[in-house]
């Protein structure tokens, strides 16, 4: 499997948020070393108040580019909220398109950093003590709109391996 459905709008609308979000399952699978992307789905043919969506990052607008982006996990997903994730060297940046949000950084299954009421944030892998305890793992981001827990967006996990040797700026990371 390439993707795990993290949010399902029908389950959320009919059963409740605690059953409609599979983040714990995703973290469990990721912590076992499986590299699987997350996505959200509407799973309905009627309008719900909850709109699940996936935003794919494309370099070109054709079928080949779309398939390549999906296989590489080049998308973010959410429910009535979206975000953009960028990685530069050993720093991960998140932007919420101007929506004030609580931004949680989840590292190997545990929330490691929370920033409240922000429209952007960053996570520096080299400066994070939790990451340096293991040689391999992942970090991912979740943004919840401030004051509206029904509007959430997720970024894909960024897998890392700590390479042997240190540089002046800290650890060397291999990001995947």
């Amino acid at each position: 499997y390439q993707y795990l459905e993290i949010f399902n709008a029908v389950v959320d609308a009919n059963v409740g948020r605690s059953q409609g979000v599979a983040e714990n399952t995703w973290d469990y699978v990721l912590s076992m070393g499986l590299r699987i992307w997350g996505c959200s789905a509407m799973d309905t043919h009627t309008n719900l108040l909850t709109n699940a969506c996936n935003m794919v990052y494309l370099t070109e607008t054709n079928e080949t580019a779309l398939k390549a982006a999906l296989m590489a996990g080049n998308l973010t997903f959410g429910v009535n909220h979206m975000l953009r994730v960028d990685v530069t060297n050993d720093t991960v940046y998140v932007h919420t398109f101007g929506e004030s949000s609580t931004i949680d950084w989840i590292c190997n299954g545990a929330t490691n950093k929370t920033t409240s009421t922000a429209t952007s944030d960053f996570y520096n892998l080299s400066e994070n003590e939790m990451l340096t305890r293991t040689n391999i793992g992942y970090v991912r981001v979740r943004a919840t709109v401030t004051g509206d827990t029904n509007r959430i967006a997720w970024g894909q996990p960024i897998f890392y391996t700590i390479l042997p040797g240190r540089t002046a700026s800290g650890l060397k990371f291999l990001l995947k």
Side-chain angles (χ1 to χ4, degrees):
Y1 295 100
Q2 293 292 319
Y3 283 86
L4 177 64
E5 187 175 283
I6 305 306
F7 178 83
N8 182 293
V10 171
V11 175
D12 180 66
N14 294 316
V15 181
R17 181 61 46 98
S18 64
Q19 298 298 315
V21 177
E23 276 191 275
N24 290 341
T25 302
W26 194 23
D27 283 321
Y28 176 77
V29 169
L30 292 170
S31 295
M32 298 291 290
L34 297 174
R35 295 181 178 217
I36 191 163
W37 310 123
C39 65
S40 60
M42 289 293 291
D43 202 16
T44 182
H45 298 282
T46 62
N47 284 339
L48 294 174
L49 295 176
T50 302
N51 291 312
C53 53
N54 299 285
M55 186 167 76
V56 181
Y57 301 108
L58 296 173
T59 54
E60 301 174 42
T61 54
N62 59 53
E63 184 178 344
T64 302
L66 177 60
K67 287 179 180 177
L70 290 173
M71 292 300 287
N74 291 337
L75 67 102
T76 59
F77 59 99
V79 50
N80 297 326
H81 189 33
M82 290 307 299
L83 55 80
R84 178 175 175 86
V85 176
D86 297 298
V87 179
T88 304
N89 298 322
D90 61 353
T91 304
V92 184
Y93 299 91
V94 64
H95 311 278
T96 63
F97 300 102
E99 295 263 21
S100 181
S101 301
T102 297
I103 299 170
D104 294 305
W105 296 93
I106 295 95
C107 172
N108 297 330
T111 300
N112 186 249
K113 175 186 173 188
T114 298
T115 303
S116 298
T117 337
T119 57
S120 63
D121 197 17
F122 69 94
Y123 191 91
N124 188 294
L125 297 167
S126 294
E127 295 174 4
N128 191 286
E129 185 180 319
M130 183 178 233
L131 290 181
T132 60
R133 290 185 202 150
T134 61
N135 288 335
I136 193 165
Y138 72 93
V139 62
R140 64 180 184 80
V141 64
R142 173 185 58 230
T144 307
V145 172
T146 303
D148 189 351
T149 57
N150 290 318
R151 298 177 59 206
I152 306 171
W154 294 270
Q156 298 299 341
I158 297 170
F159 302 101
Y160 67 87
T161 301
I162 297 178
L163 300 174
R166 294 178 179 265
T167 64
S169 63
L171 297 172
K172 295 180 187 174
F173 285 87
L174 173 64
L175 302 178
K176 300 174 183 162

